[in-house]
Amino acid sequence: MIYGLIFMVPIAPFGIYGEVATGAQGMVALAYVIGMIGMIFTALSYARMSEAIPYSGSVYAYAQHGINDTAGFFGGWLILLDYIFVPALLYLVSAAALADIVPEIPIIVWLLIFIGINTVINVLGIEFTAKTNKYILIAELIVLVIFVVAGIIAVAQHANGAEFTFKPLYDKEHFSMATVMGAVSIAVLSFLGFDAVSTLAEESKGGRKAIGNAIIGALLLVGVMFIIQTWVAALIWPDFTTFENVDTAFYQIAEIAGGTWLKWTTIIATVIAWGIADALVAQAAISRIIFSMARDRKLPHVLSKVHPKFKTPFIATIVVAVISFIVTMFFSAQIGQLASVINFGALTAFLLLHVSVINFYIRKKKSTNYFSHLVLPAIGFLIIGYVWINLDILAKKLGFIWLGIGIIYFIYLKVTKKDTKLEQ
């Protein structure tokens, strides 16, 4: 659960609050409520598959066993697009923020520091990673509590014209489903990462249901935190049309709630949460997916090597670090494009996951539990499909290019018979 909470980042709305608030016409809390409900159906599909298939490959393993080996390859290929670029995005955003605060230090120095710290921690093992994450999570929660308390006091004192209202949850004057769902397509990105818990299936000690319980529990907890903090923020700054800068809107609100010290506290907390904590678990997740695919020889087999002492996929972890550095250099001035690619990979993989649940339980296992194994994943598919349709054109173009590369690589594996699963 700690791993999942860290990956989603309890203070994630700090960084995208302005965009969600303006997109939702002020109903920012409602956007997060709908986003959480939508993601719950995907979390339930992860829970069902993690119980039946306790392997560390996430969607790769679930599609492989739930549908067939070809589906598994493309499930893994798509989720690679998400996970392999996520650490780079997190490093880039955090390093850029620090470079702005301390311009004397080049951004490349911050990138090397972040990547170096996280790579060492991940090689030392998942237990060491979990312990590190506990301290960072506690720090995030402390900052969140401080903001909420300061915010409630500010509302009670009517700072900036604040007063208690349900408008952040529902504003009859501005409400329209199309408007809110447009904002949900942004807000839902804060939830991406709960699925990464499934990559630890072979390292968890709580039995087959531990992974599913952790996924659902982390999602519900972080969802409640998202709703509370955005509701309080919306009360303090009720006019969502007057932000000086939507990218820093939350920090403006924090300054009203507690002063300059709270503004800088939330900024620094965001940098640490993304650059260290979130990137740490992202690197751990993708290294295990790469390990799982390499073990089945869908990627170079050397990537499946496990450290003799720490029992971690250290080669894959180091490779992810190198890729992250290269990607940050390439996308240093194109953060928006990088985020678009990530969205395509995650949402497309989620669609394949829901199909895997239905095929595995209904067709292969002849399950008669139609509610859990057909209705719920079908609803999840429709919700994710709606969000996928609303992705911008650039995300789809880059995503299909990645998919095309995957098709070529798949044909190469089949022709050369380097994939042991394909041979069978």
Side-chain angles (χ1 to χ4, degrees):
M1 283 184 68
I2 290 173
Y3 185 86
L5 287 172
I6 283 289
F7 209 129
M8 286 183 281
V9 186
I11 58 174
F14 285 15
I16 62 172
Y17 175 84
E19 292 186 31
V20 179
T22 52
Q25 295 290 290
M27 292 171 282
V28 59
L30 177 61
Y32 278 99
V33 169
I34 296 175
M36 180 178 70
I37 293 173
M39 285 296 101
I40 283 174
F41 290 100
T42 299
L44 288 171
S45 286
Y46 267 103
R48 296 294 78 79
M49 294 306 288
S50 65
E51 291 172 10
I53 304 164
Y55 302 124
S56 64
S58 187
V59 174
Y60 160 66
Y62 302 153
Q64 182 186 66
H65 292 81
I67 303 177
N68 56 41
D69 196 60
T70 300
F73 172 83
F74 286 103
W77 189 258
L78 287 165
I79 208 67
L80 277 178
L81 183 61
D82 173 10
Y83 286 162
I84 206 165
F85 283 173
V86 162
L89 176 65
L90 298 169
Y91 292 137
L92 196 55
V93 171
S94 301
L98 285 175
D100 186 56
I101 296 172
V102 190
E104 296 81 9
I105 300 179
I107 190 171
I108 190 173
V109 175
W110 292 118
L111 289 171
L112 291 172
I113 290 173
F114 284 137
I115 294 173
I117 291 174
N118 286 351
T119 300
V120 170
I121 293 175
N122 270 320
V123 169
L124 291 178
I126 196 62
E127 291 186 5
F128 189 80
T129 300
K131 289 177 182 178
T132 302
N133 284 340
K134 285 181 182 179
Y135 295 117
I136 297 176
L137 178 60
I138 290 171
E140 284 184 51
L141 294 177
I142 289 173
V143 172
L144 179 57
V145 169
I146 291 173
F147 169 76
V148 171
V149 171
I152 292 174
I153 293 173
V155 173
Q157 296 175 345
H158 304 292
N160 199 41
E163 61 180 6
F164 180 78
T165 174
F166 283 98
K167 285 186 176 181
L169 191 61
Y170 177 73
D171 185 352
K172 183 177 181 180
E173 182 180 347
H174 295 101
F175 179 82
S176 80
M177 185 54 70
T179 296
V180 174
M181 289 306 294
V184 170
S185 67
I186 302 173
V188 77
L189 300 179
S190 299
F191 293 100
L192 296 184
F194 68 86
D195 53 299
V197 177
S198 64
T199 65
L200 303 182
E202 295 180 35
E203 294 164 276
S204 66
K205 302 176 182 178
R208 286 178 178 256
K209 291 191 175 183
I211 294 295
N213 291 339
I215 289 174
I216 295 171
L219 180 63
L220 292 174
L221 276 174
V222 84
V224 171
M225 287 187 270
F226 288 170
I227 294 165
I228 292 174
Q229 65 191 275
T230 54
W231 195 330
V232 171
L235 295 178
I236 297 173
W237 197 300
D239 189 353
F240 56 88
T241 65
T242 60
F243 293 132
E244 296 174 16
N245 183 344
V246 293
D247 294 331
T248 59
F250 195 93
Y251 310 125
Q252 298 172 39
I253 295 171
E255 187 170 20
I256 293 173
T260 303
W261 71 270
L262 185 55
K263 171 187 174 182
W264 286 106
T265 298
T266 53
I267 290 175
I268 293 171
T270 301
V271 169
I272 294 176
W274 288 353
I276 299 294
D278 198 3
L280 181 65
V281 292
Q283 186 180 28
I286 185 56
S287 65
R288 281 151 180 78
I289 292 175
I290 290 175
F291 158 79
S292 189
M293 294 183 73
R295 183 171 57 186
D296 289 341
R297 297 188 183 279
K298 288 186 173 67
L299 291 174
H301 194 58
V302 67
L303 296 173
S304 66
K305 283 192 174 183
V306 175
H307 195 283
K309 180 179 180 181
F310 304 119
K311 307 303 179 184
T312 52
F314 72 107
I315 299 295
T317 300
I318 294 171
V319 168
V320 171
V322 173
I323 292 175
S324 294
F325 182 74
I326 294 172
V327 171
T328 55
M329 293 294 98
F330 184 79
F331 284 96
S332 59
Q334 306 171 75
I335 294 179
Q337 292 185 9
L338 181 56
S340 295
V341 176
I342 291 169
N343 298 342
F344 181 94
L347 296 178
T348 310
F350 288 170
L351 291 174
L352 193 58
L353 168 72
H354 290 302
V355 174
S356 299
V357 174
I358 295 172
N359 193 70
F360 180 78
Y361 282 100
I362 300 299
R363 190 180 74 83
K364 289 189 174 184
K365 297 298 181 181
K366 310 298 181 184
S367 170
T368 56
N369 186 352
Y370 297 114
F371 181 72
S372 294
H373 300 149
L374 178 61
V375 175
L376 293 180
I379 293 174
F381 183 93
L382 292 174
I383 293 173
I384 297 301
Y386 181 84
V387 179
W388 189 95
I389 289 172
N390 284 282
L391 284 173
D392 60 57
I393 299 299
L394 176 63
K396 293 176 182 176
K397 284 182 178 179
L398 294 176
F400 280 117
I401 289 174
W402 175 259
L403 193 57
I405 295 172
I407 292 173
I408 294 172
Y409 182 56
F410 177 80
I411 294 173
Y412 164 77
L413 290 176
K414 191 171 183 179
V415 170
T416 59
K417 299 187 182 300
K418 290 191 175 185
D419 183 342
T420 55
K421 295 283 184 179
L422 289 175
E423 289 181 52
Q424 296 170 8

